[in-house]
Amino acid sequence: MLKFLSPQSRIAARVANARYMASASPSTVSIDLPASSFETYELEQGPELQFETEKETLLQMYKQMVIVRRMEMASDALYKAKKIRGFCHLSVGQEAVAVGIESAITKKDTVITSYRCHGFTYLRGASVKEVQGELMGKRCGVSYGKGGSMHMFTTGFYGGNGIVGAQVPVGAGLAFAHQYRNEKNCTFALYGDGASNQGQVFESFNMAKLWDLPVIFACENNKYGMGTSASRSSAMTEYYKRGQFIPGLKVNGMDVLACYQASKFAKDWTVSGNGPLVMEYETYRYGGHSMSDPGTTYRTREEVQNMRSRNDPIAGLKMHLIELGISTEEELKAYDKEARKYVDKQTKEAELAPPPEAKMDILFEDVYVKGSEPPVLRGRINEDSWSFEKNGFANR
Amino acid sequence: MLKQISRQFKQFPVSRRCLHGSSFRLGATVFDMPAMSPTMEKGGVVSWKIKEGEKFSGGDVLLEVETDKAQIEVEAQDDGVLAKILVPAGTNDIPVGKPIAFLAEQDDDLSTLEYPKLEETASKKIESKPEKAEEKIEPPQPKEEKNTSGSDSGKLGNPKQTLLPSVELLLHENGLSKEDALAKIQATGPSGRILKGDVLAYLGKISPELNVKISEYINNKSHLDLSKIQIRETKASEQSPSSSGDKPAKPEKPAKKEPLKIEKELTLSQAYSKEALQRLLTIAEQHAYSAKLYQEDSEVIDPLFEEIVAPPRNAERFKTQFIVTPSDNSVSTLKLTLLVNESILDAKQRAQLFLDEVKDQLTQDNGGVSSSPQLEELF
């Protein structure tokens, strides 16, 4: 609510907050979200608009968002220097979704997303060096330089997926694993507004509801698919209602606090046996769909600049941090600089790292998890069969 | 209010521990020529949209770049100041990765800013290194294919093969193991592969010759037989000068064919200036080139098709030279020489049209032209 008040009433609100805080523990703050943060579908009770959270959590979110944005900007520069080749989808502008989800879940929960996955990979535990190394095809990369932009995996993160929408059924499977093992964990299966019209998404909805799987189908609606606005490609753009028989929740994806609160609600809701939930994070990407899209042919530059200056998730949280007295402008600025320094250093290290050696055993090493491989991996022709026992071709 | 905030601060040591003071500063960053498409090697700076020393924020257009395909606006990723422009607008063919400007942060003081030293060839070196390394990689040694690829009829099976499902089933039904099969059965398949027929022949159900016949047939038909092709002999007349030359090893190009030469003499009853004649010839040439060589009102001929199959309109069919020689009294002779490029289908036809046109023009002007009959026989 703070955002929309006049300066005078802001101060009043701050005083009220301070008074409120006096009764609460000193390390927590009370957050009041605007009523427009959420919209529900077939849900009796949505997330609470007022909640308490640790100050450190807020600061952590800020740092994470800044690092993710810096990392994506560094990737952009590397791509334009031709050091990253092929596909590269950046999430500049959409950081609040990834950071909000990550802050709301634990490392035991699982996440799977589309090819716009660099931020998630970092947040789930990979270092910036590992992500950048992967993008440049270096051995230090998170997939040992053999996956590239769309194929990053780390503990509790089951990847970007190169196929539009294909991660959604896999996410339902991950949730099934949680249910099967009686774990109190959930899966976030993310997809874009473009992928939401894929058939397999609806197949997953059906099966997840049938078995009441603890899965959150989270649509990251950045308003444009590959060169097409959502309203030109989807008959119904209220993606949180797409579940029909599954309750839905729409969140302001440009406000990290709303994302955090909604994701926390979604986790609690699904793990307490209510079955799946369809979520829509309404966000915006500042760049093109991928590096080969200038991003200004199907929308105006003014629209992008308007979003940047009014709804930026980082600037939004920055304002909250200052207003709540958690940090000062100078401290945050210093942190921005340090984040830039850190990302630049990690990127430089990744740049200087060697690519994987051109050896056959390196090519085959990651087909199976070590210890679970069959004796022979059958090849296209007899001569291509690879023996894991011999560590060489079986029939050559 | 401020006091309140600062008090809260003391209660929250984490923030101070993690955050630095703003004492350190980063120097200017180099802005390199961006590759706006994966195929872009060079580009031009069309214009700078931000002036030197001017502030910009993320998403603003910094400059317009001309690539091999289009003009693209380059956006700033972050807020900053354009500290210095290294490449002025209008410069073309700037290789990707070459520094074109220095950027700084918005609160940096431009007068005290440290500029990093530019390594002119740094980007090129990095790019060229891996290429050299690649060259060093030895070409894969050709495997001794002869041993395995020949489908000799008298051979036993290749022990490394995975048996075909049909073969495996047949062996199983007849109580034979894989080892037995490899030790006893003659393989006729490619690379020493045991085929179903081989097992059947081994079991005595079909005659072994059949398998040999089939494998020979396949062997013969599996590649294109070029043995019967004869190379056409080159003409003796063309070869002889080259063989007598100093360098017999280097095949000389066939002698260039002389262009067809058409000469025509026309008498001019009237005095023409050189310019007037030239104009007349140019008009005639235009007529000759634009004339349609097909019947326009025919039902069988489609003009569109004719246009498509015709040689290019502007291809040069002939070259014209002319000399005016004053002969008796007032009558002078116009001598036209046409060099016809015969490689163009309709060149001769159009040359003829041109001569007719010239004749007509002169007739219109003079009311009569005589031409030498001997030369006319040429056509």
Side-chain angles (χ1 to χ4, degrees), chain A residues 14 59 63 70 73 76 80 82 85 296 301 305 308 324-327 331 334-335 337-338 340-341 382 395-396, chain B residues 1 8-9 12 16 18-20 24 26 29 34-35 38 40-41 58-61 73 75 77-78 105 160-162:
Chain A
R14 228 183 292 167
L59 213 53
K63 291 174 185 176
R70 273 281 154 214
M73 284 178 183
D76 180 273
K80 284 175 180 164
K82 288 191 166 185
R85 309 305 300 259
T296 46
R301 204 177 283 283
Q305 284 303 63
R308 253 183 201 270
L324 291 168
I326 296 171
S327 203
E331 281 176 310
Y335 185 69
K337 283 205 173 187
E338 204 183 337
R340 178 176 152 191
K341 218 172 140 190
N382 199 25
N395 302 326
R396 276 197 199 173
Chain B
M1 196 62 224
Q8 281 164 17
F9 238 73
F12 189 47
R16 269 188 296 179
C18 317
L19 298 173
H20 265 225
F24 76 88
L26 300 154
T29 45
M40 180 176 161
E41 300 286 341
D60 284 351
V61 178
E73 290 170 326
E75 287 175 15
Q77 279 296 309
D78 197 8
E105 300 218 3
K160 284 176 175 175
Q161 69 183 302
T162 310

Short mmCIF file of all heavy atoms in Angstrom, two decimals, chain A residues 14 59 63 70 73 76 80 82 85 296 301 305 308 324-327 331 334-335 337-338 340-341 382 395-396, chain B residues 1 8-9 12 16 18-20 24 26 29 34-35 38 40-41 58-61 73 75 77-78 105 160-162:
data_model
loop_
_atom_site.label_atom_id
_atom_site.label_comp_id
_atom_site.label_asym_id
_atom_site.label_seq_id
_atom_site.Cartn_x
_atom_site.Cartn_y
_atom_site.Cartn_z
N ARG A 14 4.78 4.89 8.04
CA ARG A 14 6.07 4.44 8.56
C ARG A 14 6.05 4.47 10.09
O ARG A 14 6.52 3.56 10.74
CB ARG A 14 7.17 5.34 8.02
CG ARG A 14 8.32 4.53 7.49
CD ARG A 14 9.42 5.42 7.03
NE ARG A 14 9.04 6.20 5.86
CZ ARG A 14 9.76 7.23 5.43
NH1 ARG A 14 10.84 7.60 6.07
NH2 ARG A 14 9.40 7.89 4.36
N LEU A 59 16.49 -8.20 2.56
CA LEU A 59 17.79 -7.78 2.06
C LEU A 59 18.39 -8.84 1.13
O LEU A 59 18.96 -8.53 0.09
CB LEU A 59 18.71 -7.56 3.27
CG LEU A 59 19.75 -6.47 3.14
CD1 LEU A 59 19.10 -5.17 2.71
CD2 LEU A 59 20.47 -6.28 4.47
N LYS A 63 19.60 -8.52 -2.81
CA LYS A 63 20.91 -8.93 -3.32
C LYS A 63 20.75 -9.94 -4.45
O LYS A 63 21.43 -9.84 -5.47
CB LYS A 63 21.71 -9.58 -2.19
CG LYS A 63 22.13 -8.62 -1.12
CD LYS A 63 22.78 -9.40 0.00
CE LYS A 63 23.11 -8.48 1.16
NZ LYS A 63 23.66 -9.26 2.28
N ARG A 70 22.49 -8.43 -12.94
CA ARG A 70 23.88 -8.18 -13.39
C ARG A 70 24.37 -9.33 -14.26
O ARG A 70 25.04 -9.14 -15.27
CB ARG A 70 24.78 -8.04 -12.16
CG ARG A 70 24.84 -6.66 -11.63
CD ARG A 70 25.77 -5.81 -12.47
NE ARG A 70 25.40 -4.42 -12.38
CZ ARG A 70 25.52 -3.56 -13.37
NH1 ARG A 70 25.96 -3.93 -14.54
NH2 ARG A 70 25.18 -2.32 -13.22
N MET A 73 22.87 -9.20 -17.62
CA MET A 73 23.46 -8.11 -18.42
C MET A 73 24.83 -8.53 -18.93
O MET A 73 25.22 -8.24 -20.06
CB MET A 73 23.61 -6.87 -17.56
CG MET A 73 22.33 -6.14 -17.33
SD MET A 73 22.70 -4.75 -16.27
CE MET A 73 21.09 -4.08 -16.06
N ASP A 76 24.38 -10.72 -21.81
CA ASP A 76 24.03 -9.93 -22.99
C ASP A 76 25.30 -9.38 -23.65
O ASP A 76 25.47 -9.47 -24.86
CB ASP A 76 23.11 -8.78 -22.55
CG ASP A 76 22.69 -7.89 -23.71
OD1 ASP A 76 23.42 -6.95 -24.03
OD2 ASP A 76 21.63 -8.17 -24.27
N LYS A 80 26.92 -10.33 -27.32
CA LYS A 80 27.22 -9.35 -28.36
C LYS A 80 28.70 -9.31 -28.70
O LYS A 80 29.10 -8.72 -29.70
CB LYS A 80 26.71 -7.98 -27.93
CG LYS A 80 25.20 -7.90 -28.08
CD LYS A 80 24.61 -6.64 -27.57
CE LYS A 80 23.09 -6.69 -27.78
NZ LYS A 80 22.42 -5.68 -26.97
N LYS A 82 30.14 -12.12 -29.12
CA LYS A 82 30.22 -13.44 -29.77
C LYS A 82 30.93 -14.49 -28.92
O LYS A 82 31.48 -15.44 -29.46
CB LYS A 82 30.91 -13.32 -31.13
CG LYS A 82 30.06 -12.66 -32.18
CD LYS A 82 30.70 -12.82 -33.51
CE LYS A 82 29.75 -12.49 -34.63
NZ LYS A 82 30.32 -12.75 -35.93
N ARG A 85 27.32 -18.30 -27.99
CA ARG A 85 26.71 -18.52 -29.30
C ARG A 85 25.40 -19.29 -29.13
O ARG A 85 25.16 -19.90 -28.10
CB ARG A 85 27.66 -19.31 -30.23
CG ARG A 85 29.05 -18.75 -30.34
CD ARG A 85 29.09 -17.29 -30.76
NE ARG A 85 28.50 -17.01 -32.04
CZ ARG A 85 29.18 -16.83 -33.17
NH1 ARG A 85 30.50 -16.92 -33.17
NH2 ARG A 85 28.57 -16.54 -34.28
N THR A 296 11.47 -4.78 -30.13
CA THR A 296 10.77 -3.51 -30.28
C THR A 296 9.89 -3.50 -31.52
O THR A 296 9.33 -2.47 -31.87
CB THR A 296 11.76 -2.35 -30.38
OG1 THR A 296 12.78 -2.70 -31.30
CG2 THR A 296 12.38 -2.03 -29.04
N ARG A 301 8.87 1.15 -27.77
CA ARG A 301 9.96 1.41 -26.84
C ARG A 301 9.45 2.15 -25.60
O ARG A 301 9.94 1.95 -24.49
CB ARG A 301 11.03 2.24 -27.56
CG ARG A 301 12.41 2.10 -26.99
CD ARG A 301 13.39 2.88 -27.81
NE ARG A 301 13.73 2.20 -29.05
CZ ARG A 301 14.57 1.18 -29.12
NH1 ARG A 301 15.13 0.72 -28.05
NH2 ARG A 301 14.84 0.60 -30.26
N GLN A 305 10.05 1.31 -21.66
CA GLN A 305 10.64 2.30 -20.77
C GLN A 305 9.69 2.65 -19.63
O GLN A 305 10.12 2.87 -18.50
CB GLN A 305 11.00 3.58 -21.55
CG GLN A 305 12.26 3.47 -22.40
CD GLN A 305 13.49 3.08 -21.61
OE1 GLN A 305 13.56 2.00 -21.04
NE2 GLN A 305 14.51 3.93 -21.59
N ARG A 308 9.98 -0.11 -17.14
CA ARG A 308 11.27 -0.01 -16.47
C ARG A 308 11.24 1.05 -15.38
O ARG A 308 11.73 0.85 -14.29
CB ARG A 308 12.34 0.39 -17.50
CG ARG A 308 13.28 -0.71 -17.90
CD ARG A 308 14.31 -0.10 -18.84
NE ARG A 308 14.97 -1.08 -19.65
CZ ARG A 308 16.09 -1.70 -19.29
NH1 ARG A 308 16.66 -1.44 -18.15
NH2 ARG A 308 16.65 -2.59 -20.09
N LEU A 324 11.21 1.21 4.95
CA LEU A 324 11.08 0.44 6.18
C LEU A 324 12.29 0.63 7.09
O LEU A 324 12.36 0.06 8.17
CB LEU A 324 10.91 -1.04 5.86
CG LEU A 324 9.59 -1.43 5.20
CD1 LEU A 324 9.66 -2.84 4.66
CD2 LEU A 324 8.44 -1.31 6.18
N GLY A 325 13.24 1.40 6.62
CA GLY A 325 14.41 1.69 7.43
C GLY A 325 15.35 0.50 7.59
O GLY A 325 16.10 0.40 8.54
N ILE A 326 15.29 -0.42 6.66
CA ILE A 326 16.17 -1.58 6.75
C ILE A 326 17.55 -1.23 6.22
O ILE A 326 18.56 -1.73 6.67
CB ILE A 326 15.57 -2.77 5.98
CG1 ILE A 326 14.27 -3.18 6.67
CG2 ILE A 326 16.52 -3.94 5.91
CD1 ILE A 326 13.45 -4.18 5.93
N SER A 327 17.58 -0.35 5.25
CA SER A 327 18.86 0.00 4.64
C SER A 327 18.79 1.43 4.13
O SER A 327 17.70 1.97 3.94
CB SER A 327 19.14 -0.96 3.48
OG SER A 327 20.51 -1.00 3.24
N GLU A 331 23.95 2.49 1.16
CA GLU A 331 24.31 1.09 1.37
C GLU A 331 23.87 0.22 0.20
O GLU A 331 24.60 -0.64 -0.26
CB GLU A 331 23.67 0.59 2.67
CG GLU A 331 24.41 1.03 3.90
CD GLU A 331 23.70 0.59 5.16
OE1 GLU A 331 22.48 0.84 5.26
OE2 GLU A 331 24.33 0.02 6.02
N ALA A 334 26.08 0.86 -2.75
CA ALA A 334 27.35 0.17 -2.58
C ALA A 334 27.19 -1.31 -2.87
O ALA A 334 28.06 -1.94 -3.48
CB ALA A 334 27.86 0.37 -1.15
N TYR A 335 26.03 -1.83 -2.45
CA TYR A 335 25.82 -3.24 -2.73
C TYR A 335 25.69 -3.48 -4.24
O TYR A 335 26.24 -4.46 -4.76
CB TYR A 335 24.59 -3.77 -2.00
CG TYR A 335 24.53 -5.24 -2.25
CD1 TYR A 335 25.50 -6.07 -1.67
CD2 TYR A 335 23.66 -5.77 -3.17
CE1 TYR A 335 25.56 -7.39 -1.99
CE2 TYR A 335 23.72 -7.10 -3.50
CZ TYR A 335 24.67 -7.91 -2.89
OH TYR A 335 24.75 -9.22 -3.24
N LYS A 337 27.19 -1.90 -6.55
CA LYS A 337 28.54 -1.87 -7.13
C LYS A 337 29.27 -3.16 -6.83
O LYS A 337 29.99 -3.69 -7.68
CB LYS A 337 29.32 -0.69 -6.56
CG LYS A 337 28.91 0.63 -7.18
CD LYS A 337 30.02 1.64 -7.10
CE LYS A 337 29.64 2.88 -7.89
NZ LYS A 337 30.73 3.83 -8.00
N GLU A 338 29.07 -3.64 -5.61
CA GLU A 338 29.78 -4.86 -5.24
C GLU A 338 29.25 -6.05 -6.05
O GLU A 338 30.01 -6.92 -6.46
CB GLU A 338 29.63 -5.12 -3.75
CG GLU A 338 30.78 -5.97 -3.25
CD GLU A 338 30.61 -6.30 -1.78
OE1 GLU A 338 29.91 -5.55 -1.10
OE2 GLU A 338 31.17 -7.31 -1.35
N ARG A 340 28.10 -5.91 -9.01
CA ARG A 340 28.66 -5.78 -10.35
C ARG A 340 30.09 -6.30 -10.39
O ARG A 340 30.49 -7.02 -11.29
CB ARG A 340 28.61 -4.32 -10.76
CG ARG A 340 29.19 -4.07 -12.12
CD ARG A 340 29.04 -2.63 -12.52
NE ARG A 340 30.11 -2.26 -13.43
CZ ARG A 340 30.36 -1.01 -13.78
NH1 ARG A 340 29.63 -0.03 -13.30
NH2 ARG A 340 31.34 -0.74 -14.60
N LYS A 341 30.83 -5.95 -9.34
CA LYS A 341 32.23 -6.37 -9.26
C LYS A 341 32.31 -7.90 -9.18
O LYS A 341 33.11 -8.54 -9.86
CB LYS A 341 32.85 -5.75 -8.01
CG LYS A 341 34.28 -5.30 -8.19
CD LYS A 341 34.69 -4.53 -6.96
CE LYS A 341 36.09 -4.86 -6.54
NZ LYS A 341 36.42 -4.30 -5.22
N ASN A 382 26.17 -50.27 -34.89
CA ASN A 382 26.91 -51.18 -34.01
C ASN A 382 28.22 -50.56 -33.52
O ASN A 382 28.57 -50.66 -32.35
CB ASN A 382 27.17 -52.46 -34.80
CG ASN A 382 27.49 -53.61 -33.87
OD1 ASN A 382 27.09 -53.58 -32.71
ND2 ASN A 382 28.22 -54.56 -34.36
N ASN A 395 32.51 -51.93 -29.79
CA ASN A 395 32.78 -52.83 -30.92
C ASN A 395 33.75 -52.26 -31.94
O ASN A 395 33.61 -52.46 -33.12
CB ASN A 395 31.45 -53.15 -31.62
CG ASN A 395 30.47 -53.80 -30.67
OD1 ASN A 395 30.89 -54.55 -29.78
ND2 ASN A 395 29.21 -53.49 -30.81
N ARG A 396 34.71 -51.50 -31.47
CA ARG A 396 35.67 -50.96 -32.43
C ARG A 396 37.03 -51.54 -32.14
O ARG A 396 37.36 -51.77 -30.98
CB ARG A 396 35.74 -49.45 -32.32
CG ARG A 396 34.63 -48.81 -33.12
CD ARG A 396 34.94 -47.36 -33.36
NE ARG A 396 33.71 -46.66 -33.71
CZ ARG A 396 33.65 -45.33 -33.85
NH1 ARG A 396 34.72 -44.60 -33.68
NH2 ARG A 396 32.52 -44.74 -34.18
N MET B 1 12.56 11.10 12.77
CA MET B 1 12.42 9.94 11.89
C MET B 1 13.76 9.33 11.54
O MET B 1 13.97 8.15 11.61
CB MET B 1 11.70 10.39 10.61
CG MET B 1 11.15 9.26 9.79
SD MET B 1 9.91 8.36 10.73
CE MET B 1 10.44 6.72 10.35
N GLN B 8 17.26 1.66 14.30
CA GLN B 8 16.95 0.33 13.75
C GLN B 8 18.18 -0.30 13.14
O GLN B 8 18.38 -1.50 13.15
CB GLN B 8 15.87 0.46 12.67
CG GLN B 8 14.49 0.62 13.23
CD GLN B 8 13.55 1.12 12.17
OE1 GLN B 8 13.87 1.04 11.00
NE2 GLN B 8 12.43 1.65 12.58
N PHE B 9 19.00 0.57 12.65
CA PHE B 9 20.21 0.10 12.00
C PHE B 9 21.14 -0.62 12.92
O PHE B 9 21.74 -1.62 12.58
CB PHE B 9 20.92 1.30 11.37
CG PHE B 9 21.04 1.03 9.97
CD1 PHE B 9 19.93 1.09 9.16
CD2 PHE B 9 22.22 0.55 9.50
CE1 PHE B 9 20.04 0.72 7.88
CE2 PHE B 9 22.30 0.20 8.19
CZ PHE B 9 21.20 0.28 7.38
N PHE B 12 20.48 -4.01 13.61
CA PHE B 12 20.58 -4.90 12.44
C PHE B 12 21.99 -4.88 11.88
O PHE B 12 22.27 -4.23 10.90
CB PHE B 12 19.56 -4.42 11.40
CG PHE B 12 19.41 -5.34 10.26
CD1 PHE B 12 19.25 -6.70 10.45
CD2 PHE B 12 19.46 -4.86 8.96
CE1 PHE B 12 19.12 -7.54 9.39
CE2 PHE B 12 19.32 -5.70 7.90
CZ PHE B 12 19.16 -7.04 8.10
N ARG B 16 25.24 -3.92 7.84
CA ARG B 16 26.51 -3.20 7.75
C ARG B 16 27.65 -4.13 7.40
O ARG B 16 28.60 -3.77 6.78
CB ARG B 16 26.78 -2.47 9.05
CG ARG B 16 26.23 -1.06 9.02
CD ARG B 16 26.67 -0.30 10.20
NE ARG B 16 26.13 -0.91 11.40
CZ ARG B 16 26.39 -0.45 12.62
NH1 ARG B 16 27.19 0.59 12.76
NH2 ARG B 16 25.87 -1.02 13.68
N CYS B 18 27.47 -6.82 5.53
CA CYS B 18 27.47 -7.26 4.14
C CYS B 18 27.73 -6.12 3.17
O CYS B 18 28.18 -6.34 2.06
CB CYS B 18 26.14 -7.86 3.75
SG CYS B 18 25.49 -8.92 4.97
N LEU B 19 27.39 -4.92 3.59
CA LEU B 19 27.46 -3.85 2.60
C LEU B 19 28.72 -3.02 2.79
O LEU B 19 29.05 -2.61 3.89
CB LEU B 19 26.23 -2.97 2.72
CG LEU B 19 24.91 -3.68 2.45
CD1 LEU B 19 23.77 -2.78 2.75
CD2 LEU B 19 24.85 -4.16 1.03
N HIS B 20 29.36 -2.76 1.73
CA HIS B 20 30.56 -1.93 1.74
C HIS B 20 30.19 -0.47 1.82
O HIS B 20 29.11 -0.09 1.41
CB HIS B 20 31.25 -2.11 0.40
CG HIS B 20 32.30 -3.13 0.44
ND1 HIS B 20 33.51 -2.93 -0.12
CD2 HIS B 20 32.32 -4.37 0.97
CE1 HIS B 20 34.22 -4.02 0.04
NE2 HIS B 20 33.52 -4.90 0.68
N PHE B 24 35.22 2.33 -2.76
CA PHE B 24 35.89 1.88 -3.99
C PHE B 24 35.14 2.39 -5.21
O PHE B 24 33.95 2.63 -5.16
CB PHE B 24 35.99 0.35 -4.02
CG PHE B 24 34.71 -0.32 -4.37
CD1 PHE B 24 34.39 -0.55 -5.70
CD2 PHE B 24 33.80 -0.73 -3.40
CE1 PHE B 24 33.21 -1.17 -6.03
CE2 PHE B 24 32.62 -1.34 -3.73
CZ PHE B 24 32.33 -1.56 -5.04
N LEU B 26 34.83 1.97 -9.60
CA LEU B 26 35.21 1.23 -10.79
C LEU B 26 35.53 2.25 -11.87
O LEU B 26 34.87 3.27 -11.96
CB LEU B 26 34.05 0.34 -11.24
CG LEU B 26 33.58 -0.70 -10.22
CD1 LEU B 26 32.14 -1.04 -10.46
CD2 LEU B 26 34.44 -1.93 -10.27
N THR B 29 34.05 1.69 -18.22
CA THR B 29 34.00 0.39 -18.89
C THR B 29 34.07 0.60 -20.39
O THR B 29 33.57 1.60 -20.91
CB THR B 29 32.70 -0.37 -18.55
OG1 THR B 29 31.62 0.54 -18.65
CG2 THR B 29 32.76 -0.94 -17.16
N PRO B 34 29.01 -4.16 -30.72
CA PRO B 34 28.25 -5.36 -30.45
C PRO B 34 27.91 -6.13 -31.73
O PRO B 34 27.76 -5.53 -32.79
CB PRO B 34 26.98 -4.82 -29.80
CG PRO B 34 26.81 -3.46 -30.35
CD PRO B 34 28.18 -2.94 -30.71
N ALA B 35 27.82 -7.45 -31.58
CA ALA B 35 27.36 -8.28 -32.71
C ALA B 35 25.85 -8.35 -32.58
O ALA B 35 25.34 -9.01 -31.70
CB ALA B 35 27.97 -9.66 -32.62
N PRO B 38 24.06 -13.14 -35.17
CA PRO B 38 25.12 -14.13 -35.07
C PRO B 38 26.08 -14.13 -36.27
O PRO B 38 27.21 -14.58 -36.15
CB PRO B 38 24.36 -15.45 -34.99
CG PRO B 38 23.00 -15.10 -34.54
CD PRO B 38 22.73 -13.73 -35.04
N MET B 40 27.00 -11.34 -37.90
CA MET B 40 27.63 -10.03 -38.09
C MET B 40 29.11 -10.09 -37.77
O MET B 40 29.51 -10.56 -36.72
CB MET B 40 26.94 -9.03 -37.17
CG MET B 40 27.47 -7.64 -37.27
SD MET B 40 26.50 -6.55 -36.23
CE MET B 40 27.62 -5.19 -36.06
N GLU B 41 29.93 -9.66 -38.71
CA GLU B 41 31.38 -9.62 -38.51
C GLU B 41 31.85 -8.17 -38.35
O GLU B 41 32.74 -7.89 -37.57
CB GLU B 41 32.10 -10.25 -39.71
CG GLU B 41 31.75 -11.71 -39.98
CD GLU B 41 32.38 -12.64 -38.98
OE1 GLU B 41 33.35 -12.23 -38.30
OE2 GLU B 41 31.90 -13.78 -38.85
N GLY B 58 18.84 2.67 -18.35
CA GLY B 58 18.68 1.36 -18.98
C GLY B 58 17.53 1.34 -19.95
O GLY B 58 16.45 1.79 -19.63
N GLY B 59 17.77 0.79 -21.14
CA GLY B 59 16.72 0.73 -22.15
C GLY B 59 16.75 1.86 -23.14
O GLY B 59 16.11 1.79 -24.19
N ASP B 60 17.50 2.93 -22.83
CA ASP B 60 17.63 4.02 -23.79
C ASP B 60 18.46 3.58 -24.99
O ASP B 60 19.33 2.72 -24.86
CB ASP B 60 18.34 5.22 -23.13
CG ASP B 60 17.42 5.98 -22.19
OD1 ASP B 60 16.21 5.69 -22.21
OD2 ASP B 60 17.91 6.85 -21.46
N VAL B 61 18.21 4.18 -26.12
CA VAL B 61 18.97 3.85 -27.32
C VAL B 61 20.28 4.62 -27.29
O VAL B 61 20.30 5.84 -27.17
CB VAL B 61 18.17 4.19 -28.59
CG1 VAL B 61 19.00 3.90 -29.82
CG2 VAL B 61 16.89 3.42 -28.63
N GLU B 73 18.97 -0.48 -33.53
CA GLU B 73 19.26 0.42 -32.42
C GLU B 73 19.83 -0.39 -31.27
O GLU B 73 19.29 -1.44 -30.91
CB GLU B 73 17.98 1.13 -31.99
CG GLU B 73 17.51 2.14 -33.03
CD GLU B 73 16.12 2.68 -32.77
OE1 GLU B 73 15.29 1.93 -32.24
OE2 GLU B 73 15.88 3.84 -33.09
N GLU B 75 20.53 -0.76 -27.41
CA GLU B 75 20.00 -0.22 -26.17
C GLU B 75 21.04 -0.34 -25.06
O GLU B 75 21.85 -1.25 -25.06
CB GLU B 75 18.76 -1.01 -25.73
CG GLU B 75 17.56 -0.74 -26.57
CD GLU B 75 16.39 -1.61 -26.19
OE1 GLU B 75 16.42 -2.22 -25.11
OE2 GLU B 75 15.46 -1.69 -26.99
N GLN B 77 22.03 -1.35 -21.39
CA GLN B 77 21.53 -2.36 -20.47
C GLN B 77 21.28 -1.74 -19.10
O GLN B 77 20.47 -2.22 -18.34
CB GLN B 77 22.55 -3.49 -20.35
CG GLN B 77 22.46 -4.48 -21.48
CD GLN B 77 21.15 -5.21 -21.49
OE1 GLN B 77 20.71 -5.75 -20.49
NE2 GLN B 77 20.46 -5.21 -22.63
N ASP B 78 22.00 -0.69 -18.80
CA ASP B 78 22.00 -0.18 -17.44
C ASP B 78 22.05 1.35 -17.49
O ASP B 78 22.33 1.93 -18.53
CB ASP B 78 23.25 -0.74 -16.75
CG ASP B 78 23.15 -0.62 -15.24
OD1 ASP B 78 22.07 -0.25 -14.78
OD2 ASP B 78 24.14 -0.88 -14.57
N GLU B 105 29.55 5.18 -14.73
CA GLU B 105 28.33 5.21 -13.93
C GLU B 105 27.86 6.66 -13.78
O GLU B 105 28.65 7.60 -13.90
CB GLU B 105 28.61 4.60 -12.57
CG GLU B 105 29.07 3.17 -12.73
CD GLU B 105 28.54 2.25 -11.67
OE1 GLU B 105 27.75 2.72 -10.83
OE2 GLU B 105 28.93 1.09 -11.69
N LYS B 160 32.53 -59.04 -32.96
CA LYS B 160 32.07 -57.85 -32.20
C LYS B 160 30.63 -57.47 -32.51
O LYS B 160 30.12 -56.49 -31.98
CB LYS B 160 32.98 -56.66 -32.51
CG LYS B 160 34.31 -56.75 -31.80
CD LYS B 160 35.17 -55.61 -32.22
CE LYS B 160 36.47 -55.58 -31.44
NZ LYS B 160 37.36 -54.53 -31.96
N GLN B 161 29.99 -58.22 -33.39
CA GLN B 161 28.67 -57.78 -33.82
C GLN B 161 27.59 -58.07 -32.78
O GLN B 161 27.71 -58.97 -31.96
CB GLN B 161 28.30 -58.46 -35.13
CG GLN B 161 28.04 -59.94 -35.00
CD GLN B 161 27.74 -60.56 -36.33
OE1 GLN B 161 26.82 -60.17 -37.01
NE2 GLN B 161 28.56 -61.52 -36.73
N THR B 162 26.56 -57.23 -32.83
CA THR B 162 25.32 -57.52 -32.09
C THR B 162 24.44 -58.27 -33.08
O THR B 162 24.23 -57.79 -34.19
CB THR B 162 24.64 -56.21 -31.68
OG1 THR B 162 25.61 -55.38 -31.04
CG2 THR B 162 23.49 -56.45 -30.74
#
